[in-house]
Amino acid sequence: MAAYTMRRILEAIPLLFLITIVTYLLMSITPGGPLAVYLHNPKVTPAQIQALEVQMGLNKPWYIQYFDWLWALLHGNWGYSYFSGLPVMKLIGQRLPNTLILMGAAFILSLGLGLPLGIYVARHQYSFRDHALSFFSFFAWAMPSFFFGVVLQTVFAVDLHWLPVSGMYTAYGPHTFLDLLRHLILPATVLGLGSLASWSRFVRAGILDVLHKDFIRTAHAKGLSERVVIVRHALKNALLPIITIIGMDLPGFFGGAVITEQIFSWPGMGRLFLSSLNNRDYPVQMAGLLIGAMLLILGNLLADLAYGFLDPRIKYD
């Protein structure tokens, strides 16, 4: 498995290289630019704008700018933000852990509720509870995250005063785990709602697909309890197609954090990436896109490795 993992990592390098080329090209041909904010400022002269272009290297062709950025990246330098002037690595170090906390909480919520809900309704097929979950799933898929977030803020923060409206910690208060948890509930719910709905449906479909297989009837004939049959036999086989969905949703948590963090003023990569889009901050944009691409590759790799863990017939040698 170690050789397979290393081979997959090496195969991901040219893919990442291609992704960076395409994204850098698209950013370069987009109208405007990092200096667009100065063009309509009467206090900034054309000579000053030209000097800034030379200083930032924006007067070079896009492919020269790209290879300059790539060469610096290979040497551990992610560049400097055009907007704040700070090193991009420093900005990522400040924001990425906060986004990973939010993503982790949303993932645990989706998986921790999606699996038991899917198993439960599969055992009660076509019952009222099954139809209720189906309605909830389609409702969650159709619900825009920005609207759902505002609704939760209005109900639980403004009206009931149960939870804070936004932020990661209480202002001027102690940064305790309990305070973090209170601030985490609403954004994690919004970020994980879509995955919770879809994963529960896929678990339901996977369980129903194997419930009538011969090995399930054999397990019942051996006198095993219903819980053991479902968890040890049915669920393990039903999870194989679901693992793919979970792996593909991993970068979706990172992308969904862009909207969720903006709604709840969560100081993470999502807000940083959105502000970089507004300010045409190319180095920060490239960092966010590169991290998203790496998460997509990592999600697929973890899904492939999980196949071998769940099904011993799958070999990677």
Side-chain angles (χ1 to χ4, degrees):
M1 183 174 291
Y4 172 80
T5 304
M6 183 58 63
R7 185 170 69 251
R8 286 290 302 272
I9 293 175
L10 293 177
E11 291 173 353
I13 294 176
L15 178 60
L16 287 173
F17 178 70
L18 180 61
I19 291 174
T20 57
I21 292 179
V22 174
T23 53
Y24 206 99
L25 172 61
L26 292 176
M27 286 190 300
S28 299
I29 64 177
T30 302
L35 302 180
V37 66
Y38 300 110
L39 297 179
H40 302 290
N41 190 337
K43 296 182 179 181
V44 181
T45 64
Q48 291 174 324
I49 293 178
Q50 187 176 6
L52 287 173
E53 287 182 347
V54 174
Q55 180 181 353
M56 295 181 178
L58 299 175
N59 60 324
K60 302 177 183 178
W62 74 268
Y63 51 89
I64 299 297
Q65 297 181 44
Y66 168 76
F67 281 112
D68 288 343
W69 171 84
L70 182 62
W71 181 255
L73 179 67
L74 294 177
H75 288 78
N77 180 12
W78 290 56
Y80 291 84
S81 169
Y82 290 159
F83 183 72
S84 65
L86 296 174
V88 175
M89 184 64 74
K90 181 178 180 180
L91 294 175
I92 293 175
Q94 293 172 347
R95 302 295 190 95
L96 185 58
N98 300 337
T99 296
L100 293 179
I101 291 174
L102 179 59
M103 290 174 56
F107 181 84
I108 293 173
L109 176 68
S110 301
L111 193 63
L113 294 180
L115 288 182
L117 278 176
I119 296 172
Y120 181 77
V121 295
R123 296 177 59 189
H124 301 82
Q125 187 181 14
Y126 302 132
S127 65
F128 172 78
R129 288 156 289 189
D130 187 16
H131 293 304
L133 180 66
S134 299
F135 172 80
F136 164 76
S137 300
F138 290 115
F139 176 80
W141 281 334
M143 176 70 70
S145 58
F146 63 88
F147 176 76
F148 184 57
V150 173
V151 170
L152 291 184
Q153 285 177 324
T154 303
V155 174
F156 293 100
V158 177
D159 295 337
L160 299 177
H161 302 286
W162 289 354
L163 297 170
V165 176
S166 61
M168 190 172 176
Y169 294 100
T170 302
Y172 308 109
H175 291 187
T176 63
F177 175 76
L178 182 60
D179 189 39
L180 171 63
L181 188 62
R182 293 181 67 250
H183 285 78
L184 193 59
I185 292 175
L186 293 184
T189 301
V190 173
L191 184 59
L193 181 67
S195 297
L196 167 61
S198 62
W199 294 356
S200 62
R201 294 295 296 172
F202 281 111
V203 170
R204 173 190 179 276
I207 293 293
L208 290 176
D209 187 54
V210 301
L211 275 182
H212 303 291
K213 300 290 186 180
D214 291 339
F215 69 91
I216 296 296
R217 286 193 288 267
T218 302
H220 281 295
K222 290 181 178 179
L224 299 178
S225 65
E226 183 72 13
R227 179 178 176 275
V228 173
V229 172
I230 292 295
V231 174
R232 185 175 299 177
H233 297 280
L235 181 60
K236 190 173 182 179
N237 288 272
L239 278 180
L240 286 175
I242 301 166
I243 288 296
T244 303
I245 306 299
I246 295 177
M248 293 295 291
D249 278 355
L250 181 60
F253 284 106
F254 185 77
V258 174
I259 303 299
T260 305
E261 290 182 0
Q262 188 68 20
I263 296 171
F264 293 96
S265 299
W266 189 269
M269 284 293 299
R271 293 187 69 194
L272 178 64
F273 184 72
L274 191 60
S275 66
S276 70
L277 291 177
N278 295 330
N279 299 318
R280 306 301 178 106
D281 199 345
Y282 293 162
V284 179
Q285 290 182 39
M286 288 300 299
L289 293 171
L290 187 59
I291 292 174
M294 289 190 293
L295 285 175
L296 179 61
I297 295 172
L298 177 62
N300 281 274
L301 176 59
L302 293 178
D304 289 344
L305 296 179
Y307 293 149
F309 175 75
L310 293 173
D311 191 346
R313 295 173 299 178
I314 299 177
K315 302 296 182 182
Y316 296 108
D317 298 330

